[in-house]
Amino acid sequence: MKKIFIPVALLLALICAITGMAACGDRTPLPVEDMEWEFLTLQDKDGNVICCAESNAELYPDAKVADAEVVLANNTVTLTVDGGQILSAAYTSVDKDGKRTTIYSLATDNDDCRMVSSLAKTSSGTNLGALLITVGENTYYFYAPLID
């Protein structure tokens, strides 16, 4: 039960963070390029989990297990799934809410690409970094421990 509860709590916390329900006293943007991002899920436009990390396979038995990786370096984001590149684009910060949520503009030919970083709080009160990357109708969810 605990094995299933932790991924569910993380996913719910990520969703709350993006909708502005998670807050933190520190107002600086997350250092997204320095964080070690872990893949959670890939969801379609209706919120259905279509791919997940192997650690979440029990929680999402109908989802394909995938190995997704995001690399952020020199203001460029590169997203790969099972070794195939999905996205590579320069990014710039366009909006900050003062609560460590940042919306980024991605320089691509596809207008349907977006990126957001924010905070998530687990049910145990631990803060995590959350990174959501939308490509077309799909959104990739990543999390990372916060850097002190």
Side-chain angles (χ1 to χ4, degrees):
M1 178 73 177
K2 184 177 181 183
K3 191 175 186 179
I4 292 175
F5 178 74
I6 291 171
V8 169
L10 286 172
L11 186 58
L12 290 174
L14 287 173
I15 292 168
C16 290
I18 299 307
T19 60
M21 299 177 104
C24 182
D26 189 349
R27 306 277 189 219
T28 60
L30 292 176
V32 294
E33 291 195 0
D34 297 329
M35 298 176 80
E36 293 185 34
W37 297 102
E38 298 281 333
F39 175 59
L40 277 176
T41 62
L42 165 60
Q43 296 181 15
D44 66 15
K45 68 178 180 174
D46 298 319
N48 300 310
V49 175
I50 53 179
C51 289
C52 66
E54 188 172 341
S55 60
N56 290 335
E58 261 183 56
L59 186 59
Y60 303 107
D62 295 333
K64 175 187 170 202
V65 172
D67 181 26
E69 181 179 62
V70 64
V71 176
L72 296 122
N74 301 317
N75 291 327
T76 299
V77 57
T78 303
L79 174 64
T80 58
V81 176
D82 293 332
Q85 185 172 299
I86 303 298
L87 172 71
S88 183
Y91 67 88
T92 55
S93 171
V94 294
D95 189 28
K96 297 175 188 151
D97 74 348
K99 296 178 185 165
R100 299 194 86 177
T101 297
T102 305
I103 300 171
Y104 301 90
S105 171
L106 300 178
T108 69
D109 292 335
N110 183 350
D111 291 337
D112 291 337
C113 293
R114 295 173 298 286
M115 185 168 80
V116 175
S117 68
S118 190
L119 287 181
K121 189 173 281 208
T122 66
S123 59
S124 66
T126 304
N127 285 322
L128 295 172
L131 182 70
L132 280 67
I133 301 172
T134 300
V135 179
E137 296 182 344
N138 297 323
T139 301
Y140 298 81
Y141 290 79
F142 294 87
Y143 74 95
L146 294 181
I147 299 171
D148 293 334

